[in-house]
Amino acid sequence: MVYYTVKGNTGKIAKTIAETTQLPMERLLKDKPVDIGAHEYIFFGAPVYNEHFPKAVLQYGRNQRWSGKKVAIFSTNIGWKDKQAIDEFAQIIASKGAHVVSILSIQNRGVMSWTVGFGKLTEAEYEKARKWALEIQPKLLRTEDLR
Ligand SMILES: Cc1cc2nc3c(=O)[nH]c(=O)nc-3n(C[C@H](O)[C@H](O)[C@H](O)COP(=O)(O)O)c2cc1C
């Protein structure tokens, strides 16, 4: 499971998914890309900033070898152009041969501000992430061709 986080929200959901799926967490950093070569399937998480995934994430999408990888994408955001941002990333990796199996967008409740914590994830959101991970992991593990 690979994730990118600026303020920690996506990291918290990533931790929930890692615990649920028993997958190791690998944090992607701007100057430290995670090599996905060894993974057959990947849960991939990122936040939405200014209507896009962060530049480092989009660049990572363009630079990794996604061919044949099954990917489930999750994001935290406040629900503004989130689908568009996720689809943008999904299309980048799909154009490099990834099979995007599922997408989950998780919203923070509350006020977005630089000082007041970027909204808050409630227990309902963690539960949504757990349910999704449990439902999707078997689909990622399945070996038949996905189209
Ligand atoms: C400057 C800024 C811009 C943001 N832009 C968007 C946006 O365009 N769409 C959206 O849905 N959420 C937006 N958000 C909310 C973040 O996506 C949300 O707080 C997310 O959970 C942050 O993830 P992180 O804590 O993993 O960095 C923005 C937040 C900030 C601070």
Side-chain angles (χ1 to χ4, degrees):
M1 197 262 302
V2 180
Y3 69 101
Y4 188 91
T5 188
V6 180
K7 290 286 172 181
N9 288 319
T10 312
K12 285 179 194 161
I13 293 294
K15 183 161 184 271
T16 301
I17 291 174
E19 285 168 0
T20 305
T21 57
Q22 305 280 300
L23 291 168
M25 291 176 77
E26 297 178 89
R27 184 172 179 182
L28 171 63
L29 296 167
K30 211 176 269 179
D31 41 17
K32 194 175 133 292
V34 173
D35 183 0
I36 53 166
H39 303 311
E40 196 179 318
Y41 70 90
I42 299 138
F43 280 92
F44 185 90
V48 179
Y49 283 92
N50 301 321
E51 306 179 5
H52 301 275
F53 277 3
K55 278 202 175 69
V57 174
L58 296 177
Q59 201 172 5
Y60 179 76
R62 291 187 196 101
N63 291 344
Q64 284 292 305
R65 294 191 181 158
W66 296 95
S67 187
K69 310 277 185 207
K70 283 170 274 183
V71 186
I73 304 172
F74 61 97
S75 172
T76 72
N77 54 72
I78 56 161
W80 173 251
K81 308 266 181 167
D82 54 313
K83 298 276 182 304
Q84 181 188 302
I86 297 168
D87 280 352
E88 180 183 25
F89 181 79
Q91 279 176 25
I92 288 172
I93 65 170
S95 77
K96 304 208 73 191
H99 300 287
V100 178
V101 172
S102 185
I103 282 169
L104 176 72
S105 185
I106 295 258
Q107 273 78 54
N108 297 322
R109 310 293 168 208
V111 181
M112 177 179 76
S113 96
W114 286 106
T115 48
V116 190
F118 294 67
K120 198 172 171 356
L121 292 162
T122 64
E123 178 49 35
E125 269 79 50
Y126 288 107
E127 191 50 33
K128 202 169 141 190
R130 274 183 216 109
K131 278 210 180 107
W132 177 73
L134 285 176
E135 185 196 323
I136 295 309
Q137 195 175 23
K139 296 188 185 172
L140 294 169
L141 285 163
R142 222 172 282 156
T143 50
E144 76 243 32
D145 196 21
L146 293 154
R147 250 178 294 227

